[in-house]
């Protein structure tokens, strides 16, 4: 009685196991059955008899033969026998049967050696899959033990025959459903296109693909990606693959191109961005392609972007990132026209156009501001040359400290204007090293200008307050004006990744950014900008305003101060000299931000010109005061602010 109940329990356990395994394999497209074949020591054979249809497949074994037979293929009809490698001391062999219905391929592996019974013959629309367990026959001495399906043990008993019943389904739709649920479903599609061994195009409901062979004489190839029949041929992406893609190690290699009109597999991306519908995948069989000498070019067709949006080329490297992660690394975006964008990329993976809504990073009236600043800098360049010559000629033979301080400021402004004019052409030149050097020189010109304006404030304070009996040596001024900025820029160059190409996007055309060589937009550069540039500018502006207040308080009661033109020229002249106009950058917000930005660009780009006018007006007033006071200018030199810092 006890034995009967034990047998009943085992029977129910076996029934439940078979039911679970049947459910597990119910939705499995590919099939893998493995086991251990117990055989004799005589020569062994692999026999197969495969026909088209969708009924069942039988896997059996005896003392000398492993047999595969049945009706499950779509196009393959094969019947033959293969002699297996025999070892007189071996009486068992491990084997696996692989069935890939989408490719109509059946492979048998015996002791690690593959035998392809049905070769791939394109992708099948309908196929025989969802193989479920049928009848099993027991064996006594020779047969199959530890039979398993996809790693799940069916039984450990010795069996002479396993039967699996098939069901016919739409295999392409089933495959696309499976791919959409996988994190790397696109890779599954790519592998199937590669394995299909199809000539021409491969069509799936979720993607289309093609395989391009590269031989030893491959010199590059232009082609239009395979697309669904309903897609307008004028909107299909085109691809150029360069000759540098050809592998040196092999005489022949294959490029797989897949095209996705449905972006379901790739939808996740950065916030406030969206992928265009077209996605193109490129890969080379069994190779990872990076750092190509000549880029791959993919041209996408699209509708014109909205004024506040821009499109950039992005790629997702599925071999590095498990999750969808679109990056623009290694790709350059080239705008052909309003409806075409071309991606130049130095690697192979999946490519698309990412459309982003631009908000804070755009600048209104950028073209006008750039033109105004460039013209102002050109005028200041000429003005600085004239003023430097005039200062040298005026003080010839007299190494006056005031003149030497003015010369330092003039040289710094000249360098700043010169490098600003050069930064755009050199950024478009395309050499990264040249752009880094130009960006560092432009930064040096800016820091030197700010430092020399601080030296002007300090020198005026010494003259007004008479802090020292004798002024500090001139080398201290030059050390702070030229040496201190050099030290700061050298430290940033040592840190690295601070200088490079900077793109400023106009709000009316975000796809054509203004390129300049300056500090980049990464975190390190932004930190250096706020600490060094903004910090130094705040010091210069606050000290300049304090110095203006001090000088106004000193001479506000003098007779000439009551003349409006003298007061205006005095304040304006010293404002340009002390750099307080740079403080407009701190109030670039609110309803008057555009007006403030235009004033900032106009006034500061013309700083060299205004300084030349100041010294010219100063000289004329001195001559006028000399003639009106019989050559005595010691009193008149203190009559207004314009001349305050000329006092020696």
């Amino acid at each position: 009685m006890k034995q009967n109940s034990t047998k009943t329990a085992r029977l129910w356990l076996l029934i439940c196991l078979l039911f679970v395994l049947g459910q597990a394999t119910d939705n499995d497209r590919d099939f893998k059955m493995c086991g251990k074949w117990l055989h004799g020591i005589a020569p062994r054979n692999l026999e197969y008899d495969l026909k088209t249809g969708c009924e069942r497949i039988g896997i059996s074994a005896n003392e000398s033969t492993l047999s595969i037979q049945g009706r499950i293929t779509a196009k393959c009809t094969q019947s033959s026998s293969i002699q297996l490698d025999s070892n007189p001391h071996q009486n068992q062999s491990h084997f696996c049967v692989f069935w890939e219905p989408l490719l109509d391929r059946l492979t048998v592996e015996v002791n690690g050696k593959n035998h392809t019974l049905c070769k791939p013959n394109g992708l099948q629309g309908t196929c025989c899959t969802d193989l479920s367990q049928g009848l099993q026959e027991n064996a006594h001495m020779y047969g199959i033990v530890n039979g398993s399906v996809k790693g799940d043990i069916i039984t450990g008993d010795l069996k002479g025959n396993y039967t699996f019943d098939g069901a016919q389904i739409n295999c392409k739709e089933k495959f696309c459903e499976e791919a959409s649920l996988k994190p790397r479903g696109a890779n599954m599609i790519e592998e199937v296109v590669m394995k299909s061994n199809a000539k021409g195009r491969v069509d799936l409901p979720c993607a289309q693909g093609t395989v391009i062979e590269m031989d030893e004489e491959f010199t590059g190839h232009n082609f239009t990606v395979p697309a669904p029949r309903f897609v307008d041929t004028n909107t299909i992406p085109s691809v150029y693959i360069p000759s540098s893609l050809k592998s040196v190690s092999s005489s022949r290699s294959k490029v797989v191109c897949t095209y996705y009109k449905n972006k379901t597999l790739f939808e996740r991306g950065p916030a406030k961005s969206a992928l265009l519908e077209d996605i193109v995948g490129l890969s080379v069989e069994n190779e990872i392609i990076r750092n190509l000498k000549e880029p791959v070019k993919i041209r996408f067709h699209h509708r014109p972007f909205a004024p506040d949006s821009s499109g950039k080329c992005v790629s997702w490297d599925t071999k590095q990132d498990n999750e969808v992660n679109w990056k623009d690394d290694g790709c350059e975006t080239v705008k052909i026209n309003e409806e075409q964008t071309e991606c130049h990329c130095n690697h192979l993976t999946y490519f698309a156009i990412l459309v982003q809504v631009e908000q804070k990073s755009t600048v209104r009236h950028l073209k006008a501001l750039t033109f105004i600043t460039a013209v102002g800098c050109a005028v200041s360049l000429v003005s600085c040359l004239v003023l430097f010559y005039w200062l040298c000629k005026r003080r010839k033979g007299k190494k006056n400290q005031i003149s030497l301080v003015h010369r330092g400021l003039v040289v710094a402004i000249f360098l700043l204007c010169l490098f600003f004019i050069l930064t755009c052409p050199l950024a478009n030149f395309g050499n990264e090293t040249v752009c880094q050097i130009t960006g560092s020189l432009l930064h040096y010109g800016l820091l030197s200008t700010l430092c020399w304006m601080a030296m002007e404030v300090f020198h005026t304070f010494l003259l007004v307050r008479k802090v020292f009996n004798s002024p500090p040596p001139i080398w201290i001024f030059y050390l702070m004006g030229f040496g201190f900025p050099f030290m700061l820029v050298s430290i940033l160059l040592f840190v690295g990744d601070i200088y490079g190409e900077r793109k400023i996007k106009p709000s009316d055309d975000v796809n054509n950014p203004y390129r300049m060589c300056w500090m980049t937009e990464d975190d390190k550069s932004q930190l250096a900008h706020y600490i060094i540039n903004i910090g130094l500018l705040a010091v210069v502006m606050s000290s300049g305003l304090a110095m203006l207040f001090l000088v106004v308080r000193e001479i506000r009661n003098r007779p000439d101060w009551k003349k409006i033109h003298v007061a205006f020229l005095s304040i304006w002249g010293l404002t340009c000299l002390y750099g307080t106009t740079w403080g407009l950058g701190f109030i670039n917000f609110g309803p008057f931000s555009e007006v403030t930005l235009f004033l900032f660009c106009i006034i500061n780009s013309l700083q060299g010109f205004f300084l030349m006018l100041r010294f010219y007006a100063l000289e004329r007033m001195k001559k006028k005061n000399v003639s009106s006071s019989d050559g005595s200018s010691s009193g008149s030199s203190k009559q207004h602010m314009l001349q305050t810092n000329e006092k020696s």
Side-chain angles (χ1 to χ4, degrees):
M1 185 74 179
K2 185 176 181 180
Q3 290 180 346
N4 291 336
S5 60
T6 303
K7 289 182 179 179
T8 304
R10 287 180 180 177
L11 180 61
W12 277 107
L13 180 63
L14 180 61
I15 293 172
C16 291
L17 180 62
L18 291 174
F19 176 79
V20 170
L21 289 174
Q23 290 294 106
T25 58
D26 184 49
N27 291 321
D28 289 338
R29 179 174 46 83
D30 292 348
F31 174 78
K32 175 185 176 183
M33 189 271 177
C34 297
K36 186 182 293 184
W37 173 24
L38 302 183
H39 51 72
I41 59 174
R44 297 178 295 278
N45 299 305
L46 170 62
E47 292 184 353
Y48 56 96
D49 183 14
L50 300 170
K51 296 181 174 62
T52 59
C54 188
E55 295 180 5
R56 65 183 60 86
I57 182 173
I59 302 171
S60 60
N62 55 33
E63 181 181 4
S64 61
T65 303
L66 177 65
S67 177
I68 313 294
Q69 54 185 331
R71 292 180 177 271
I72 59 169
T73 64
K75 297 178 180 178
C76 175
T77 301
Q78 297 287 340
S79 179
S80 185
S81 176
I82 301 173
Q83 186 172 354
L84 302 174
D85 297 334
S86 59
N87 186 340
H89 304 290
Q90 184 179 5
N91 61 359
Q92 60 183 22
S93 299
H94 183 269
F95 76 94
C96 286
V97 178
F98 301 93
W99 166 236
E100 298 174 84
L102 180 62
L103 301 173
D104 204 32
R105 177 168 72 175
L106 195 145
T107 306
V108 177
E109 178 188 282
V110 181
N111 288 332
K113 186 174 182 179
N114 285 326
H115 304 275
T116 302
L117 308 187
C118 286
K119 295 181 179 180
N121 192 7
L123 301 185
Q124 309 306 314
T126 57
C127 55
C128 190
T129 183
D130 289 348
L131 299 181
S132 58
Q133 294 177 35
L135 298 175
Q136 302 173 15
E137 295 180 4
N138 294 325
H140 299 289
M141 184 178 297
Y142 303 108
I144 302 170
V145 295
N146 298 327
S148 65
V149 173
K150 290 192 174 183
D152 295 324
I153 297 294
I154 302 173
T155 178
D157 297 338
L158 181 64
K159 299 290 182 181
N161 181 53
Y162 284 91
T163 303
F164 298 92
D165 299 322
Q168 198 169 56
I169 63 169
N170 188 317
C171 221
K172 290 184 178 181
E173 290 184 358
K174 178 78 171 180
F175 173 72
C176 286
E177 288 176 8
E178 291 180 6
S180 65
L181 299 176
K182 303 289 184 180
R184 297 188 180 184
N187 284 18
M188 293 173 55
I189 296 173
E190 182 182 287
E191 291 172 5
V192 163
V193 174
M194 177 66 73
K195 293 177 181 178
S196 66
N197 201 28
K199 296 181 179 179
R201 55 183 289 146
V202 174
D203 284 302
L204 287 167
C206 51
Q208 286 70 42
T210 187
V211 178
I212 299 168
E213 293 192 2
M214 299 184 294
D215 55 19
E216 294 179 349
E217 298 179 356
F218 182 76
T219 58
H221 182 54
N222 274 300
F223 64 95
T224 301
V225 301
R229 310 293 183 187
F230 61 84
V231 176
D232 184 0
T233 55
N234 295 322
T235 64
I236 301 174
S238 59
V239 176
Y240 167 73
I241 50 177
S243 58
S244 58
L245 198 59
K246 174 70 176 65
S247 175
V248 179
S249 59
S250 59
S251 59
R252 284 183 174 272
S253 55
K254 295 179 179 180
V255 178
V256 179
C257 175
T258 49
Y259 172 63
Y260 305 84
K261 192 66 180 175
N262 186 342
K263 58 182 182 180
T264 306
L265 297 172
F266 310 92
E267 278 183 330
R268 287 155 288 184
K272 297 181 182 178
S273 62
L275 285 175
L276 292 185
E277 291 293 332
D278 298 336
I279 297 168
V280 175
L282 293 171
S283 65
V284 173
E285 185 180 20
N286 301 324
E287 290 189 48
I288 298 176
I289 305 297
R290 295 193 181 99
N291 302 318
L292 289 170
K293 294 180 180 179
E294 184 182 357
V296 173
K297 299 176 182 178
I298 309 102
R299 180 172 295 191
F300 292 94
H301 302 262
H302 50 76
R303 294 179 180 178
F305 299 126
D308 62 343
S309 301
S310 65
K312 68 175 180 179
C313 297
V314 292
S315 63
W316 171 32
D317 191 346
T318 57
K319 294 178 175 61
Q320 287 187 348
D321 303 315
N322 292 327
E323 296 295 329
V324 177
N325 187 14
W326 292 103
K327 301 177 183 177
D328 59 358
D329 299 343
C331 284
E332 179 186 359
T333 304
V334 179
K335 180 181 177 181
I336 305 301
N337 53 47
E338 294 296 326
E339 297 182 348
Q340 294 184 47
T341 300
E342 193 166 85
C343 299
H344 295 185
C345 303
N346 62 6
H347 59 287
L348 296 190
T349 183
Y350 298 96
F351 303 98
I353 299 293
L354 191 69
V355 181
Q356 292 181 307
V357 178
E358 305 291 343
Q359 292 180 340
K360 297 180 181 179
S361 58
T362 60
V363 179
R364 290 173 61 86
H365 312 295
L366 180 60
K367 187 177 292 185
L369 291 169
T370 304
F371 177 77
I372 290 171
T373 307
V375 172
C377 286
V379 173
S380 287
L381 271 179
V382 178
S383 301
C384 287
L385 290 175
V386 173
L387 181 55
F388 187 81
Y389 172 77
W390 181 77
L391 288 172
C392 292
K393 184 179 179 181
R394 177 172 175 254
R395 300 294 183 183
K396 188 175 182 181
K398 300 177 183 179
K399 292 188 178 179
N400 187 281
Q401 193 176 63
I402 296 174
S403 179
L404 292 174
V405 172
H406 291 337
R407 290 183 207 175
L409 178 60
V410 170
V411 171
I413 294 175
F414 177 85
L415 293 176
L416 176 61
C417 294
L418 175 64
F419 293 131
F420 182 84
I421 291 174
L422 292 176
T423 183
C424 180
L426 292 177
N428 291 319
F429 179 69
N431 189 297
E432 184 178 354
T433 303
V434 171
C435 197
Q436 290 175 348
I437 295 173
T438 306
S440 64
L441 290 175
L442 178 60
H443 193 209
Y444 175 78
L446 173 64
L447 295 180
S448 182
T449 300
L450 294 175
C451 287
W452 272 111
M453 289 189 295
M455 291 299 99
E456 289 281 5
V457 173
F458 177 64
H459 192 259
T460 304
F461 176 76
L462 295 180
L463 294 176
V464 172
R465 286 299 186 184
K466 293 287 184 181
V467 178
F468 304 107
N469 293 328
S470 59
I474 192 63
W475 65 265
I476 293 180
F477 292 90
Y478 276 76
L479 179 64
M480 294 303 298
F482 290 129
F484 181 64
F486 179 79
M487 181 190 71
L488 293 177
V489 173
S490 299
I491 292 173
L492 294 180
L493 285 172
F494 178 78
V495 171
D497 297 330
I498 299 294
Y499 304 107
E501 184 183 82
R502 181 75 172 265
K503 296 180 181 179
I504 305 175
K505 299 177 181 179
S507 58
D508 55 346
D509 188 5
V510 293
N511 296 307
N512 286 321
Y514 173 80
R515 301 170 186 267
M516 65 179 296
C517 298
W518 180 235
M519 304 176 78
T520 58
E521 295 181 291
D522 61 16
D523 294 337
K524 287 193 298 183
S525 299
Q526 293 301 304
L527 182 63
H529 169 70
Y530 284 109
I531 294 177
I532 298 176
N533 299 346
I534 303 300
L536 186 57
L537 179 59
V539 170
V540 171
M541 187 192 69
S542 57
S543 61
L545 288 174
M547 194 67 235
L548 275 176
F549 174 77
L550 179 63
V551 176
V552 168
R553 194 178 65 173
E554 286 283 329
I555 63 171
R556 62 184 174 180
N557 295 322
R558 298 187 181 278
D560 279 5
W561 178 254
K562 297 178 182 179
K563 297 178 181 180
I564 296 177
H565 72 282
V566 174
F568 173 75
L569 289 176
S570 300
I571 294 175
W572 181 250
L574 289 181
T575 297
C576 293
L577 192 68
Y578 298 155
T580 51
T581 55
W582 288 75
L584 290 170
F586 288 112
I587 55 176
N588 182 25
F589 58 86
F592 300 105
S593 60
E594 292 184 15
V595 176
T596 304
L597 194 56
F598 272 94
L599 288 175
F600 180 88
C601 293
I602 293 171
I603 295 172
N604 293 318
S605 65
L606 290 171
Q607 187 175 7
F609 174 71
F610 290 140
L611 286 179
M612 185 186 71
L613 290 183
R614 175 189 181 275
F615 283 102
Y616 174 74
L618 176 64
E619 191 67 18
R620 288 200 59 183
M621 286 187 177
K622 280 190 175 182
K623 290 179 180 179
K624 184 178 179 181
N625 289 332
V626 167
S627 63
S628 63
S629 60
D630 295 328
S632 176
S633 62
S634 60
S636 62
S637 63
K638 298 181 182 179
Q639 290 178 354
H640 45 75
M641 290 168 56
L642 182 64
Q643 295 166 298
T644 298
N645 73 324
E646 293 297 325
K647 186 170 58 170
S648 64

